[in-house]
Amino acid sequence: MRTTARFGEWAAETSRDWPAACLKEARLCLIDTIGCMLAGSVEPASEKVVTTVAAWGTGEATVLGETRRLPPPFAAFANGTAAHALDYDDVLDPAMAHPSAPLTAALLALAEEEDRSWDECLDAFLVGFEVMARLGEAMNLAHYNNGWHSTLSLGAPATAAAVARLIGLNAAQTASAISLATSMAGGSKQQFGTMAKPIHAGLAAKNGFMAARLAQSGVTAAEEAIDGPWGIVAMTAGEAAPGTRVIDEKLGGEPAISEYGAWRKLYPCCGSTHRPIDALLAMRAEEGLAAEDVVEVEAVVSFAAATNLRYRLPQNVAEARFSLPYCAAAALIDGRVDTRTFTAEAIRRNDVLALAERVTVTRDAALSGTGAVSETPERARVRVTKRGGGMCERIVSVPTGHPQQPLSEDALKTKFLACAARSALAVDAEAIWRAVHGPPGVGRVAEMMRHIQVHH
Amino acid sequence: MRTTARFGEWAAETSRDWPAACLKEARLCLIDTIGCMLAGSVEPASEKVVTTVAAWGTGEATVLGETRRLPPPFAAFANGTAAHALDYDDVLDPAMAHPSAPLTAALLALAEEEDRSWDECLDAFLVGFEVMARLGEAMNLAHYNNGWHSTLSLGAPATAAAVARLIGLNAAQTASAISLATSMAGGSKQQFGTMAKPIHAGLAAKNGFMAARLAQSGVTAAEEAIDGPWGIVAMTAGEAAPGTRVIDEKLGGEPAISEYGAWRKLYPCCGSTHRPIDALLAMRAEEGLAAEDVVEVEAVVSFAAATNLRYRLPQNVAEARFSLPYCAAAALIDGRVDTRTFTAEAIRRNDVLALAERVTVTRDAALSGTGAVSETPERARVRVTKRGGGMCERIVSVPTGHPQQPLSEDALKTKFLACAARSALAVDAEAIWRAVHGPPGVGRVAEMMRHIQVHH
């Protein structure tokens, strides 16, 4: 059976009876992403997307942080962009991607349109998460390291599957939705550090949404779109990738969200900076390392991380999120990395930039660029040379917030409230938190949106 | 200078004073494409796109053959899909793509919205045509033969450039529009023979339109999106492709529409079938070859053609357009290939299918799969074995309708009127023909749309 058909059959027919731990994890993904949307809604990329699409008509779907309401696919576009605008939204390791930004943006728009419950939304989220994880296992690391920004390239078909599930498409329609979404799924990491990067998450949401609605209208597409000779595996990952057998083996077994979880980020910058930041903050907190004692910082990171972090000294805030020298210097000087680290003023500080000049980034030759994700776990080694010749060195494999070292619910709530406070529209953040955490069987998405439409 | 910037500067600043022959050729492209839109508007893919997007709001842009009016990007989506639904729309050799379907669909929507003249529209069309041709020269044949459907993958950035020109974006904005469009430009030839194929042309129109409007709103994107280490040349064409130097060399010189022209198609099926069809129709007309005398047909075609034509016996009309055995058998039996060749009834005829069984397609090993387009001109060799042992053989390099053997204006008008007659809404075809052919300086696009909104 072709992979689109396999995904379609599974997505249409798998049980809605998910383990409680999976549903709990999905709720945390949704609330964390809604926070990121509120925080990101005031960023330039998000505002410009809303300005643009608002010219094409109004609708009934909520844009978080905005009074304007849009047609559902455009609300998904705007909210998906906002969710990723600070690079603060969660990460799914095997996909090398941000799963919840596109999935949540599309599902909120659809759930509001069709007055769906949180239970239905969580179920559809888990379907999309699964498709994204299994596609990632089949295609990464080769796909990602070939330059594809998998938040869009894998996010669009995964979102199509999630939306198809929530609409209730049958197996064949779902397969067509996924196939169509592969035609709406470009996107290069060349865009990292530009407004186009968060826009990729918005496009994944919009495109997955549109693909599912097109399939619902009866549009059909090639079954071979994933695993054919010109399928996305062959065209964008190639022979170095594990291939689709892993999908056949794993789909229907332990859910990906249980196997992998989601890495909910502590710092609003590229995930590839987090391990070095953790190392430096730990040296500072635990070994008393002071910024003024630092002669040199050497960070040794994976190929994926080294190529993601291509800005030495940032010209703007977007680039700062992808500049390890900047992030490392700010961590050492400020003792924290948060939204205050990424402002036009913060990135121009002379002391930070002077220290950033003394940060080098090199590639860890031991980490493969194309094998399976599981064969090449990420790590970062950071060595600091101090005045007088002393050294500190740390290796970080599991960054803070990663499923193996998750943020506590208190830490998540602190992040959420800080994110919600950035919204231009005052929102009832506590009510949103409660709505998404409501007990099983309780609540509908449209009800929560009322707490988001609170005006100043 | 990076290629996006080079295109941006040229597209924003090149003279509007095009040679008369270029403008004439552009008019023929537009009218031929408008005919294809009207003819294709009744096809399932087009109707399903309109049904889907109509749920997301109304607007003022005309959908050809439809009473519903849509927001401009969705009208571009619908009209672009319709233009390509019969695979009857024109071809640009170096791009290995259909240029006018996405360009015309996007420009009509924008010109109607902003009440632009035909002169402005032709100017913008020529800008988009140029970008598509030069991108194609830089990336093909490798890009196309890697599986990319360049009507979308090159069509989206080319359309962004055309729309940017018509809006009047500056050089930097145009560069951003083109860069953004590369993130909206997936699409595999795996979709050939499905509804997704014409939808690719619609997506190119919609995406190019959206990218230009986003750039107008101030969205910026990576300058390196074409020629960077993770630019589309490296990611989708690779080292076998000629590369972007050809763009630097040619942009601003002889316009691509003068250098290459457009191949306006005589048969409503995959361009890769046209040379063999020409050969067989010529044998029939000039050598008296009769279908009942044919024992076997051997067609030897390029790698690109052989891989495009992957359906032996078609299961449906969409596949029939990509089945050389079917097209060849129909040509021999009917003595013509036109819209009547591609109906559910026609493709089930026993005599045609029996003859199709005796058609073989093999690859011409002498034609390279990855070099520059100009190094490997297409050709097809067709050998027919007759009862009694006689043979006919023809080699066709230039198919009918190709710029080197163009359709006469009478033949184009015959095609146009037949296409317009397929529209579900009666249209004033003569008035449309006249409007697009109006003398320089005369007429606005919105005026023509009145002739399209004629009801039964």
Side-chain angles (χ1 to χ4, degrees), chain B residues 347-397:
Chain B
I347 68 166
R348 281 198 300 265
R349 289 175 292 165
N350 287 333
D351 55 343
V352 176
L353 294 174
L355 181 52
E357 294 271 20
R358 303 201 300 277
V359 178
T360 62
V361 182
T362 55
R363 183 182 159 192
D364 185 338
L367 297 184
S368 149
T370 56
V373 174
S374 55
E375 289 164 8
T376 56
E378 282 279 307
R379 70 177 178 211
R381 194 171 76 239
V382 179
R383 181 186 297 152
V384 176
T385 308
K386 296 192 284 192
R387 279 185 222 293
M391 306 272 268
C392 307
E393 180 165 325
R394 295 219 172 201
I395 294 177
V396 174
S397 296

Side-chain angles (χ1 to χ4, degrees), chain A residues 48-49 52 56 71-74 77 145-148 152 179-180 182-184 187-191 194-196 199-200 203 206 209-210 213-214 217-222 224-225 228-231 235-236 307-308, chain B residues 48-49 52 56 71-74 77 145-148 152 179-180 182-184 187-191 194-196 199-200 203 206 209-210 213-214 217-222 224-225 228-231 235-236 307-308:
Chain A
K48 291 174 198 305
V49 166
T52 307
W56 299 324
F74 289 144
F77 187 15
N145 282 341
N146 282 345
W148 297 97
L152 174 51
S179 175
L180 278 169
T182 65
S183 292
M184 310 177 182
S188 160
K189 290 191 291 176
Q190 198 73 60
Q191 301 290 4
T194 78
M195 290 188 216
I199 283 175
H200 284 175
L203 289 171
K206 171 180 76 65
F209 189 101
M210 291 183 64
R213 287 296 198 196
L214 286 164
S217 297
V219 173
T220 51
E224 309 90 335
W230 286 331
M235 286 172 70
T236 68
T307 46
N308 285 346
Chain B
K48 290 174 199 305
V49 166
T52 307
W56 299 324
F74 289 144
F77 187 15
N145 282 342
N146 282 345
W148 297 97
L152 174 50
S179 175
L180 278 169
T182 65
S183 292
M184 310 176 182
S188 160
K189 290 191 290 176
Q190 198 73 60
Q191 301 290 5
T194 78
M195 290 188 215
I199 283 175
H200 283 175
L203 288 171
K206 171 180 76 65
F209 189 101
M210 291 183 64
R213 287 296 198 197
L214 286 164
S217 297
V219 173
T220 51
E224 309 89 335
W230 286 331
M235 286 172 70
T236 68
T307 46
N308 285 346

Side-chain angles (χ1 to χ4, degrees), chain B residues 59-252:
Chain B
E60 289 306 313
T62 300
V63 182
L64 276 67
E66 264 281 339
T67 51
R68 284 175 284 195
R69 297 168 76 86
L70 294 173
F74 289 144
F77 187 15
N79 289 331
T81 301
H84 196 42
L86 300 179
D87 233 296
Y88 212 0
D89 52 310
D90 62 20
V91 170
L92 170 56
D93 271 353
M96 306 292 283
H98 296 268
S100 299
L103 291 173
T104 306
L107 291 173
L108 287 182
L110 182 66
E112 189 178 18
E113 180 183 15
E114 300 201 342
D115 194 21
R116 300 296 186 133
S117 68
W118 284 107
D119 286 0
E120 291 170 298
C121 211
L122 293 167
D123 168 73
F125 177 89
L126 288 166
V127 165
F129 193 95
E130 186 76 17
V131 170
M132 199 155 176
R134 301 312 172 198
L135 272 179
E137 289 180 311
M139 296 168 71
N140 281 328
L141 294 167
H143 175 74
Y144 190 74
N145 282 342
N146 282 345
W148 297 97
H149 183 201
S150 36
T151 296
L152 174 50
S153 57
L154 307 184
T159 302
V163 173
R165 172 77 167 189
L166 190 53
I167 298 175
L169 298 191
N170 67 27
Q173 291 170 321
T174 303
S176 285
I178 292 169
S179 175
L180 278 169
T182 65
S183 292
M184 310 176 182
S188 160
K189 290 191 290 176
Q190 198 73 60
Q191 301 290 5
F192 281 17
T194 78
M195 290 188 215
K197 201 223 179 193
I199 283 175
H200 283 175
L203 288 171
K206 171 180 76 65
N207 296 352
F209 189 101
M210 291 183 64
R213 287 296 198 197
L214 286 164
Q216 185 180 27
S217 297
V219 173
T220 51
E223 275 209 349
E224 309 89 335
I226 293 173
D227 53 16
W230 286 331
I232 55 171
V233 175
M235 286 172 70
T236 68
E239 293 182 3
T244 55
R245 212 176 72 183
V246 64
I247 298 172
D248 289 327
E249 288 167 1
K250 288 194 167 180
L251 201 63

Side-chain angles (χ1 to χ4, degrees), chain A residues 95-139:
Chain A
M96 305 293 283
H98 296 268
S100 299
L103 291 173
T104 306
L107 291 173
L108 287 182
L110 181 66
E112 189 179 17
E113 180 183 15
E114 300 201 343
D115 194 20
R116 300 297 187 134
S117 68
W118 284 107
D119 286 0
E120 291 171 298
C121 211
L122 293 167
D123 168 73
F125 177 89
L126 288 167
V127 165
F129 194 95
E130 186 77 17
V131 170
M132 198 154 176
R134 301 312 172 198
L135 272 180
E137 289 181 311
M139 296 168 71

